Amino acid sequence: MPALRELQARFARAVLGGPPSGLLDSLVADHLPPARRLAVYRANVHIALLRVLEGGFPATRRAAGEDRFRAAAIAFLRASPPVEPRLHLWGGAFPAWLAAHPETAGQPWLGDLAGLEWAREEVYYAADAPALVPTALAALPQERYPALRLRLHPTARLLASRWPIDALWRGEVASPPPTPAHVLVSRPGMEVQTLVLTAGEHALLAALSADATLADAAEAALDAEPGLDLTAILARHLAAGTFTSFG
Amino acid sequence: MAAPAAVSPRPPWEVRLAAGIGLRHPHVAQLIEEPPADLAWVEVHTENYLVDGGPRLRQLELIAERYALSFHGVGLSLGSADEPDRAHLARIRRLCDRFGPGLVSEHIAWSVEGGHYLNDLFPIPYTEEALATVARNIRIAQDALGRRIMVENPSSYLRFLDSTMAECRFVAELAARADCDLLLDVNNIHVSAHNHGFAVDDYLAAIPSERVGELHLAGHARVLADGAVLLIDDHASAVIPAVWALYERTLARVGPRPTLLEWDNDIPPLEVLLAERSQAQAWLDRVAVHARAA
């Protein structure tokens, strides 16, 4: 009989979908064959992990269709099972897996859509942090603005895609042509926010998150989108709680 | 960042003679806004709250202001050949320090192997090697958490050929060697007894009553497999009459213990779960009256 460690290694391989070699001989055979008994555990593991992915990626599931999502999810959970019991941390590699999975080749936007849902998951469970109140900059003299460094809220995630991931996420389109989309996901309070950005707005926030001054970030934003209304954009994000502090 | 003010923990004796329910997401808002008067405690899956922040923790704070808490872990994998993850234990310790649960429990099972967590509770062979290994792991957990824990008897669908003792003997011996308490899941006894053909009364007789700190009740499914009926511990339906009857016998033998109604899948309206809880409470009250009279 194998020692406990070896027995568990064989068991884990078998329940993930591998061959039950060397394990069936270790199981009691009675009125029900050991392979049938083992199959209960394999089904339990697959369903329990599938439910985790279904819970984290509902829009991706809807967009992919039930059969395609299930096939991709089961292939993923066999290849990349969770590495620890905090299951909310598992699934970060699923978007890239989906993008590369042959079953989803006809829906090239699925990876980026899943990326948006994963950002929402991460943000939901992230540490709480205060948002900069909208009036925080009001008392600041105008001449200080160019050198200002606005820090994005620690939950903020910036996404850019060739595909309209925001419309896909809302279920408004099913089979869209390539249309670039920019999205900010953040949680300044208890609600996860998903804000659609323009290209220039995305460039501004990306530069600020890389610690650029407001002047340098504004330049990057105007490069990406000439004519951008910087004042309006700044007001929008102060109101939305996109920033946490400034210096 | 300053830690939020600790919620004042309710002492464990408050849940001694009460039946509680497993806290499930669809019921959280209702339990916060309209707390049922006779619900003293709820049990949560510890791992669901090992998060950095956000609504989950906020909800648990609001729940802890209204009910005593029990933390029921599903991720320590005390049955693994490897020792439990120290970082995971440290996170559970911090959550316990913050919320002060009256009851803390885990499972006699394993779920971690080769660095992977497989999100199910797998059976262990009932051997001397496994006994020594699981007892060591429970001791490590109790040291790290700074308290005694309860471990739950498993439900299972297969047995290992090299087991050298009955499950009930393994469970009793384990509790003695690890010096831990037991969470006796009445439904699991029923399920495993059916699946493996042992007698539930022999099982109960082997359990050291003084170590039993909590009881679990749940529903299970009957599945036809190759012409035989296999019971699956899916927590997706009401407690069946045979399990209620076994609960009554368990109470008669071990005495009144805090009892939890678990319903984790196909979750019904809260009222349905509360009605099951009331049924368990009625049994508990009868046994408590009887115990006082004796």
Side-chain angles (χ1 to χ4, degrees):
Chain A
M1 279 297 164
L4 187 61
R5 185 180 307 278
E6 177 57 25
L7 186 72
Q8 291 180 339
R10 291 176 191 180
F11 195 102
R13 271 198 300 276
V15 294
L16 278 173
S21 52
L23 179 66
L24 294 180
D25 293 348
S26 305
L27 307 181
V28 171
D30 48 17
H31 59 285
L32 207 54
R36 185 65 192 76
R37 290 181 177 274
L38 186 64
V40 175
Y41 288 99
R42 185 179 303 168
N44 279 356
V45 168
H46 283 186
I47 288 169
L49 292 178
L50 181 63
R51 295 275 175 274
V52 176
L53 295 175
E54 287 173 351
F57 300 93
T60 307
R61 181 185 178 195
R62 189 182 58 221
E66 193 57 43
D67 292 349
R68 207 174 286 163
F69 182 85
R70 195 184 169 91
I74 287 180
F76 174 74
L77 68 88
R78 282 180 178 169
S80 307
V83 296
E84 65 137 300
R86 289 179 297 172
L87 289 173
H88 64 280
L89 300 178
W90 179 62
F94 188 50
W97 174 275
L98 270 180
H101 196 259
E103 288 245 1
T104 57
Q107 295 177 296
W109 50 81
L110 281 184
D112 283 1
L113 172 58
L116 169 57
E117 293 199 283
W118 179 251
R120 289 179 49 87
E121 281 284 292
E122 280 193 317
V123 164
Y124 183 83
Y125 294 112
D128 301 317
L132 194 61
V133 295
T135 53
L137 299 183
L140 217 59
Q142 289 275 347
E143 60 269 25
R144 277 201 56 196
Y145 274 44
L148 210 58
R149 289 177 205 274
L150 280 162
R151 290 180 203 96
L152 262 62
H153 193 271
T155 60
R157 307 281 190 281
L158 286 164
L159 296 107
S161 173
R162 297 194 297 129
W163 303 98
I165 50 174
D166 55 305
L168 282 160
W169 177 65
R170 291 190 301 269
E172 293 167 1
V173 292
S175 192
T179 315
H182 301 88
V183 176
L184 169 70
V185 179
S186 67
R187 187 174 58 76
M190 284 293 136
E191 295 274 329
V192 177
Q193 300 188 130
T194 305
L195 299 181
V196 180
L197 310 176
T198 68
E201 204 175 0
H202 182 272
L204 179 85
L205 296 179
L208 289 174
S209 73
D211 205 31
T213 61
L214 190 53
D216 290 344
E219 198 179 319
L222 289 167
D223 277 351
E225 188 180 338
L228 183 73
D229 183 347
L230 280 167
T231 310
I233 295 296
L234 214 51
R236 178 192 191 202
H237 287 286
L238 281 166
T242 300
F243 308 110
T244 194
S245 64
F246 63 87
Chain B
M1 196 174 89
V7 176
S8 68
R10 301 192 189 190
W13 51 261
E14 276 197 27
V15 302
R16 182 79 66 204
L17 296 176
I21 61 171
L23 182 70
R24 298 296 165 257
H25 297 305
H27 301 148
V28 170
Q30 196 178 344
L31 286 170
I32 289 171
E33 283 153 29
E34 307 157 31
D38 49 357
L39 181 62
W41 63 285
V42 298
E43 186 162 286
V44 301
H45 283 176
T46 316
E47 278 72 13
N48 285 347
Y49 297 91
L50 298 180
V51 300
D52 294 332
R56 280 262 180 98
L57 276 180
R58 180 69 196 124
Q59 285 166 351
L60 191 59
E61 285 169 354
L62 295 171
I63 288 288
E65 287 168 9
R66 290 157 176 78
Y67 310 97
L69 291 180
S70 167
F71 281 0
H72 188 46
V74 293
L76 269 180
S77 196
L78 296 170
S80 280
D82 290 324
E83 294 183 358
D85 179 354
R86 297 298 208 284
H88 190 64
L89 277 166
R91 284 188 285 267
I92 295 173
R93 174 71 187 256
R94 280 196 295 277
L95 198 72
C96 286
D97 288 348
R98 177 167 170 185
F99 287 98
L103 303 167
V104 176
S105 56
E106 250 288 352
H107 295 84
I108 304 175
W110 64 280
S111 51
V112 173
E113 196 282 326
H116 289 130
Y117 173 72
L118 298 177
N119 197 19
D120 195 17
L121 299 166
F122 301 134
I124 47 183
Y126 299 131
T127 60
E128 270 301 321
E129 183 200 6
L131 194 52
T133 303
V134 187
R136 174 203 69 193
N137 290 350
I138 294 172
R139 284 187 175 278
I140 289 170
Q142 293 189 138
D143 286 348
L145 298 176
R147 66 190 293 163
R148 288 162 74 88
I149 62 170
M150 295 178 284
V151 292
E152 177 179 334
N153 59 299
S155 60
S156 64
Y157 313 115
L158 58 77
R159 285 174 296 158
F160 296 98
L161 275 174
D162 55 349
S163 288
T164 55
M165 63 192 98
E167 179 181 301
C168 53
R169 224 198 95 208
F170 184 92
V171 169
E173 182 64 21
L174 179 65
R177 284 208 208 173
D179 193 17
C180 67
D181 289 333
L182 294 171
L183 192 175
L184 205 56
D185 188 308
V186 178
N187 182 58
N188 286 359
I189 298 176
H190 177 87
V191 164
S192 293
H194 173 93
N195 290 345
H196 308 308
F198 62 73
V200 292
D201 289 310
D202 293 349
Y203 197 102
L204 275 183
I207 297 299
S209 300
E210 69 283 3
R211 289 195 184 271
V212 176
E214 180 183 344
L215 303 173
H216 270 184
L217 290 169
H220 61 260
R222 294 171 69 84
V223 174
L224 202 61
D226 294 352
V229 172
L230 195 65
L231 300 189
I232 306 288
D233 180 34
D234 63 353
H235 298 184
S237 56
V239 178
I240 65 162
V243 172
W244 281 116
L246 183 56
Y247 176 56
E248 185 187 357
R249 299 219 290 288
T250 305
L251 288 179
R253 176 165 155 76
V254 307
R257 294 291 187 278
T259 301
L260 183 85
L261 267 298
E262 282 185 304
W263 201 322
D264 300 329
N265 297 296
D266 297 336
I267 297 171
L270 180 60
E271 290 67 27
V272 174
L273 190 53
L274 289 174
E276 288 231 294
R277 190 214 72 84
S278 296
Q279 202 173 333
Q281 186 68 59
W283 281 116
L284 270 177
D285 292 344
R286 273 196 288 276
V287 174
V289 167
H290 189 75
R292 268 199 297 274

